[in-house]
Amino acid sequence: LSSAQTPQNNTGYIGEFEIVDDHRSQKIVIELNGRLNKCGVISPRFDVQVHEIEKWVVNLLPSRQFGQIILSTTFGIMTHEEARRKKTGGKVLGFFY
């Protein structure tokens, strides 16, 4: 889960984050910088091919230049823009804007 925070951190939506071990399950404390309006989790995790990413962008995000969709790919967890550049699909984990 901590790697899922990295795309948000790279795009400027969150500040720093810290993983806290409470000896049962790990928790993540995130510093928000005020730019995050909405985030969501997609369940079940739908498979998305690279040519279907645009359909998901239209359905989940308010505009093409605003927000990110997080995908789990064979190259790791990345945004939809990175997945397009690498020409890979994956499973949709969630979105934020």
Side-chain angles (χ1 to χ4, degrees), residues 43-54:
S43 182
R45 309 250 189 265
F46 291 103
D47 289 326
V48 178
Q49 295 177 357
V50 68
H51 66 275
E52 297 173 332
I53 292 176
E54 184 62 28

Side-chain angles (χ1 to χ4, degrees), residues 14-94:
I14 67 171
E16 296 182 11
F17 64 93
E18 176 185 358
I19 300 172
V20 179
D21 186 14
D22 63 354
H23 300 294
R24 286 185 294 168
S25 63
Q26 292 183 344
K27 293 181 175 34
I28 300 176
V29 178
I30 301 172
E31 176 189 331
L32 298 175
N33 65 6
R35 289 187 58 207
L36 192 64
N37 294 319
K38 184 174 183 179
C39 62
V41 175
I42 305 300
S43 182
R45 309 250 189 265
F46 291 103
D47 289 326
V48 178
Q49 295 177 357
V50 68
H51 66 275
E52 297 173 332
I53 292 176
E54 184 62 28
K55 179 186 81 166
W56 284 88
V57 169
V58 169
N59 289 336
L60 292 175
L61 301 179
S63 76
R64 287 192 177 122
Q65 292 114 8
F66 193 59
Q68 302 287 324
I69 296 175
I70 304 297
L71 299 169
S72 175
T73 69
T74 56
F75 298 105
I77 295 175
M78 61 183 68
T79 64
H80 70 280
E81 293 172 347
E82 290 175 285
R84 275 194 201 144
R85 281 194 297 272
K86 292 186 177 185
K87 296 180 174 55
T88 185
K91 292 188 180 285
V92 178
L93 298 178

